[in-house]
Amino acid sequence: MFLSVGQSPRTDIIDDMLTNLDLPIEALEVGALDGLSDAAINELRVRPGETSIVTRLADGSDIIVSKPRIAERMAKIAAAFQPNEFDLVVILSTGLFRDFESTCPMVNAQRAMESTVISLAAHGSAVGLIQPLQQQIDELDIPALAPYRVTASYAADGDKRLLASALVDLAETEIIMLDLDGDVQWLQAVEQDETDAAGFFQTSNMHVRQGDAAVRIA
């Protein structure tokens, strides 16, 4: 069972994941916003003073919701699963800096991403993180990463100008982890010298890894 912040299905994520896994998996999905009215969804929008997370609705539009309140909703969904109801529950969102409890085996995408970044940074690599919202740079508080060389920038999903700017911000890094849904293909094309921005990679040792497609997405 894939549990996401937004609305299911997330074919933009799941289809790619299943292709890369190459395993016989019955992929079931549930979103924290599934079944809610427009009014109920609007009530979950981020308020002043709250940390934020951006997610996707079934119509393809994005919405910025309250991170603590949507996390509580996800926690209740995960806790309601019956023992052994699913072989594995995957929290399909990074950016939720908390643990979730379930009677089913669970993988938390945020913890998986943290472990990946720590593994890379512990070997001396300078790691860059690209967040989808500018305010998330200030909200980024991961104590486990404090001892390592980790730099953050931001780019709205699908905004190639901001993404190029983020690459400039992270020019001194060697590995870039994306917290974005749809831009990894563009960055891979850059890395393979298929776009005008290829010079970013030709003049550095950067490589692209999509934290989201591998483990997340909101």
Side-chain angles (χ1 to χ4, degrees):
M1 171 62 74
F2 292 96
L3 172 56
S4 64
V5 169
Q7 290 181 328
S8 64
R10 291 301 304 269
T11 55
D12 56 318
I13 306 167
I14 301 298
D15 289 354
D16 186 55
M17 289 181 63
L18 296 181
T19 298
N20 289 314
L21 286 174
D22 193 26
L23 294 171
I25 295 175
E26 181 185 4
L28 304 175
E29 299 180 55
V30 62
L33 301 181
D34 285 358
L36 296 185
S37 66
D38 291 346
I41 291 174
N42 283 330
E43 278 297 311
L44 288 168
R45 288 183 184 272
V46 66
R47 297 169 182 166
E50 290 184 316
T51 53
S52 57
I53 189 166
V54 60
T55 189
R56 187 156 295 175
L57 301 178
D59 63 4
S61 63
D62 291 340
I63 182 172
I64 302 173
V65 296
S66 162
K67 185 181 294 186
R69 287 186 286 130
I70 200 67
E72 282 302 314
R73 183 170 176 82
M74 292 179 70
K76 290 178 181 178
I77 294 172
F81 294 144
Q82 298 301 306
N84 302 315
E85 184 177 0
F86 305 108
D87 295 322
L88 182 67
V89 173
V90 179
I91 303 297
L92 197 65
S93 297
T94 55
L96 299 174
F97 308 125
R98 57 162 294 167
D99 293 319
F100 295 86
E101 295 184 2
S102 176
T103 56
C104 301
M106 177 176 289
V107 171
N108 186 330
Q110 176 61 36
R111 300 306 184 208
M113 192 187 79
E114 289 175 14
S115 297
T116 300
V117 173
I118 290 172
S119 177
L120 294 168
H123 287 85
S125 297
V127 178
L129 302 178
I130 298 182
Q131 301 291 315
L133 300 173
Q134 185 174 14
Q135 62 261 38
Q136 288 179 321
I137 297 176
D138 295 329
E139 295 171 358
L140 193 65
D141 182 16
I142 310 177
L145 302 184
Y148 305 106
R149 292 191 295 160
V150 179
T151 305
S153 186
Y154 84 100
D157 197 18
D159 190 323
K160 304 303 186 289
R161 182 186 61 82
L162 282 177
L163 193 54
S165 177
L167 290 178
V168 173
D169 292 343
L170 303 176
E172 300 300 319
T173 64
E174 299 164 291
I175 302 289
I176 294 176
M177 301 288 292
L178 289 93
D179 198 20
L180 308 174
D181 290 358
D183 288 325
V184 70
Q185 292 84 4
W186 182 80
L187 279 175
Q188 288 171 338
V190 170
E191 191 175 17
Q192 295 165 12
D193 196 18
E194 296 176 5
T195 78
D196 293 338
F200 285 125
F201 288 95
Q202 292 171 349
T203 57
S204 71
N205 294 318
M206 284 193 290
H207 300 283
V208 178
R209 299 191 180 194
Q210 187 185 22
D212 281 354
V215 295
R216 165 197 105 123
I217 288 176

